[in-house]
Amino acid sequence: MNSRSPKRRTALACACLLAPAAAYADDPFTQRVLVEGARASQVGVADSAGMGSVTQRQLEARTIYRPGELLEATPGLVASQHSGEGKANQFYLRGFNLDHGTDLRTTVDGMPVNQRSHAHGQGWTDLNFIIPELVARLDYSKGPYNAGSGDFSSAGATAIHYSSRLPQDQASTTAGQNGYGRALLAGSRESGASGAWLYALETVHSDGPYTRGDNYRKLNAVLRYSEGFANNGYAITAMAYRGAWNATDQIPQRAVDSGLLGRFDGIDPTDGGLARRFSLSAGWARSDDKQTSRANAYIINNRLELFSNFTYFLDDPVHGDQFAQPDRRVTSGFDLSHSWHDHMDDMAWSTTLGLQAQNDNIFNALQRTAARQVLATVRADHIVETSAALYLQQRLRVTSWLRGEAGVRLDRYRFAVGDARADKTLASPSISLAFGPWSRSEFYLNAGRGFHSNDARGVTQAQDPATPLARSRGLELGLRSEAVKGLQTVLALYRLDFDSELVYLGDAGSTEAGRPSRRYGIEFSNYYKPFKWLSLDADLAFARGRLQHAAPEGDRIPGAVEGVAQLAATFTPAGPWSGALRLRWFGPRPLVEDNSVRSKASAIVNSRLAYKLAARTTLELEAFNLANRRVSAIDYFYESRLKGESGPSAGIHFHPVEARSFRLSLNCIF
């Protein structure tokens, strides 16, 4: 006989309905249900159409060329690359060219990945330290509608959660074309009544298809001790990552058209970088029928040496235009929250009070270099950037068909660059309403304000200082339906506005004024499981972005994505065979404000085929760019000068999508 009373069972059910998916899906028991089932249902759980969760099993079915592409499990998101494998990805979402992470907040087990006031780009998001086999779940949301998200989350936010225990130990070895090799050892060990150790060690080498290989060398390690479960327990985690690489940066289209360069050639053979990341984090949680407390703290040491040359001999015809952007920092912070939840008849409510703080102690610079030797230092700075946030979030289920959430967030930022100081306080309210479900369908209305912080060097400069916190305003209408058996459909219509701002340009060591912008968009996402052994995905997204206030140069936003589509089929029939096929279409984009130059669309197909050799051994073949399409991963339009040219030339500069390649893996569990 169950000792829990009906009243207590009702309270627990209401608490689950009121809590966001991320609040309870960390529990290993819940994870087990999610892994074995289809895509987790979000009806009655999600607060918006742009919110969702991707399970471990779905992530395992994806064929990814690099770890950052895990984020492409977020419908409408594209992760690209324009340089060597060790560099942070370029991201696109909801009409944004997000550069290396601005306006896309990313966390790993509560640790922020975005790096503020970075030497190369604001919000720098390097995900090369991720080990995909450890990822238990990816949660995502879009728009500034969550009081707990804060900086960099206006377009979207992704949260990667690592497992605390693995069902079996595993070893994997991979060999592929273009000098690719990978080895992984991961497992867990029980300790005492409820404790467990998790460990993982990964090493990777890759040259890519480039004339001068990337020679990317990566070493990753994770060690975690945990006790209990995610809702009642704690975990302490240490991570270490080191990567070194050569870089074949984007090249001018005119040089390829003339036969001077091949598609996979480079210009400056000394471009590349070295990255290191070490972190120690701890998470703790306690919960019962009435209250939930969570605490997370972290300290992260990041170092980067980055050498780039995008204009070749434009500024310095003798030595060339290579520049270095060294960045080293220690980031520390914490995230505390406490929730009170209760119910009465059909009503249920939850109140969450949270406190967050982060401090970045940064040394970075911009240097002119030749063959990685420093010629001159443009600037070198010691930056201390500190922020604290207090937020209040109220969830309320009024009736069986109406629930809502209202939140307000108060952020305080302090910027210090040498003797220069600046500070800013900003309030960000948000509200969400969900109507339904009726016939397993519900509707959403969301409105909120958000922001992203700007680089401290631009904020504190004496002449034309940048806006410390750039304000965003979002509005969204959504529908989520599971009315058809086996089919999950999500439709979202949104608008997102950004105020005028000045953004520090790490590549140039200067700031650039930006007009206000407005983006409209529609997203249509479908997941269909007609049979137990077959699942189909179809995600479509279209956006219209414009700069506000008329100007002679035009109103288009250079690089802003206009259309994205992903189509996929995953096969898991009974027997030893399984596989997946995925098409990604990346639509054309304006490259200049008057829309006179545009990038071409690209479409690539990736696939995987697995065969179970024995109960504990699987052979897997992955194929990338299966049709061998000669398309661009990224395009820019700007002036450059090649050696021997009499003057600057404006034109498209591109980085190619990697040629067709295959990787063969042998995976063992023990």
Side-chain angles (χ1 to χ4, degrees), residues 110-126:
M111 292 183 289
V113 182
N114 304 75
Q115 295 180 35
R116 312 188 293 197
S117 301
H118 191 268
H120 183 76
Q122 178 71 340
W124 176 267
T125 303
D126 183 358

Side-chain angles (χ1 to χ4, degrees), residues 22-245:
Y24 61 86
D26 279 325
D27 193 305
F29 295 124
T30 306
Q31 281 182 18
R32 189 169 300 168
V33 175
L34 295 177
V35 169
E36 295 302 323
R39 177 181 289 186
S41 172
Q42 296 292 310
V43 172
V45 177
D47 299 315
S48 71
M51 177 181 287
S53 185
V54 187
T55 67
Q56 185 179 46
R57 187 172 184 179
Q58 289 174 285
L59 292 171
E60 288 174 350
R62 302 185 68 87
T63 300
I64 60 170
Y65 192 87
R66 51 185 64 93
E69 292 178 3
L70 276 177
L71 298 194
E72 289 189 348
T74 302
L77 190 151
V78 168
S80 186
Q81 180 59 276
H82 75 102
S83 191
E85 282 305 309
K87 192 173 182 179
N89 289 108
Q90 196 97 2
F91 299 100
Y92 297 83
L93 177 68
R94 286 203 161 184
F96 283 86
N97 175 354
L98 295 162
D99 193 48
H100 297 290
T102 303
D103 300 308
L104 177 64
R105 176 176 173 82
T106 302
T107 60
V108 174
D109 283 339
M111 292 183 289
V113 182
N114 304 75
Q115 295 180 35
R116 312 188 293 197
S117 301
H118 191 268
H120 183 76
Q122 178 71 340
W124 176 267
T125 303
D126 183 358
L127 289 169
N128 286 295
F129 69 94
I130 295 295
I131 299 178
E133 287 83 355
L134 299 187
V135 178
R137 195 183 73 257
L138 169 69
D139 296 327
Y140 62 85
S141 62
K142 302 171 192 175
Y145 313 125
N146 189 323
S149 294
D151 200 2
F152 301 119
S153 64
S154 292
T158 59
I160 293 172
H161 304 274
Y162 269 10
S163 299
S164 289
R165 295 172 172 85
L166 296 178
Q168 296 103 5
D169 294 352
Q170 56 185 290
S172 175
T173 181
T174 304
Q177 292 173 275
N178 303 319
Y180 185 85
R182 179 177 185 256
L184 169 73
L185 178 65
S188 55
R189 293 287 183 273
E190 298 298 319
S191 176
S194 61
W197 288 94
L198 173 78
Y199 65 90
L201 182 65
E202 176 196 41
T203 180
V204 175
H205 179 272
S206 179
D207 285 326
Y210 309 106
T211 304
R212 176 178 181 263
D214 277 350
N215 192 25
Y216 179 45
R217 294 94 66 202
K218 176 169 76 169
L219 185 63
N220 249 338
V222 173
L223 182 64
R224 164 177 285 182
Y225 179 76
S226 64
E227 283 201 6
F229 305 102
N231 56 348
N232 274 294
Y234 70 89
I236 301 172
T237 308
M239 299 183 185
Y241 159 74
R242 183 188 186 277
W245 67 95

Side-chain angles (χ1 to χ4, degrees), residues 8 11-12 14-16 18-19 23-24 230-233 284-294 337-343 349-353:
R8 187 178 182 189
L12 289 172
C14 291
C16 288
L18 284 167
Y24 61 86
N231 56 348
N232 274 294
W284 170 90
R286 287 290 181 270
S287 62
D288 57 31
D289 291 356
K290 298 290 185 179
Q291 299 182 71
T292 299
S293 298
R294 295 183 180 276
S337 68
H338 187 81
S339 299
W340 300 265
H341 41 83
D342 208 339
H343 78 287
W349 56 89
S350 174
T351 303
T352 300
L353 182 64

Side-chain angles (χ1 to χ4, degrees), residues 507-539:
D507 292 342
S510 63
T511 59
E512 182 179 85
R515 288 178 275 158
S517 63
R518 172 167 291 178
R519 290 168 172 84
Y520 296 96
I522 180 171
E523 294 177 333
F524 185 48
S525 178
N526 298 271
Y527 176 81
Y528 183 43
K529 197 169 181 65
F531 308 105
K532 185 177 180 180
W533 54 270
L534 174 64
S535 61
L536 305 172
D537 293 85
D539 298 325

Side-chain angles (χ1 to χ4, degrees), residues 278-346:
F278 305 95
S279 67
L280 182 65
S281 63
W284 170 90
R286 287 290 181 270
S287 62
D288 57 31
D289 291 356
K290 298 290 185 179
Q291 299 182 71
T292 299
S293 298
R294 295 183 180 276
N296 183 65
Y298 53 85
I299 183 167
I300 311 166
N301 182 293
N302 274 293
R303 291 184 174 230
L304 176 70
E305 300 288 336
L306 186 64
F307 298 89
S308 309
N309 187 345
F310 303 137
T311 54
Y312 323 124
F313 294 92
L314 178 66
D315 298 322
D316 189 338
V318 177
H319 300 100
D321 297 348
Q322 189 185 75
F323 57 96
Q325 293 166 305
D327 187 289
R328 68 182 194 273
R329 66 183 60 215
V330 175
T331 300
S332 56
F334 61 82
D335 187 344
L336 312 176
S337 68
H338 187 81
S339 299
W340 300 265
H341 41 83
D342 208 339
H343 78 287
M344 183 177 64
D345 298 326
D346 288 336

Side-chain angles (χ1 to χ4, degrees), residues 402-470:
L402 175 62
R403 69 183 190 274
E405 174 187 332
V408 64
R409 178 185 180 92
L410 186 66
D411 283 273
R412 174 71 174 177
Y413 272 68
R414 183 178 184 272
F415 306 85
V417 182
D419 295 329
R421 301 285 188 273
D423 54 69
K424 180 69 174 181
T425 301
L426 190 67
S428 304
S430 60
I431 187 168
S432 301
L433 295 174
F435 305 89
W438 298 290
S439 301
R440 297 191 59 79
S441 300
E442 60 185 11
F443 302 86
Y444 307 98
L445 174 62
N446 308 92
R449 292 192 172 192
F451 70 96
H452 73 239
S453 61
N454 276 323
D455 193 290
R457 293 163 291 183
V459 169
T460 58
Q461 66 184 12
Q463 298 293 325
D464 298 323
T467 302
L469 306 178

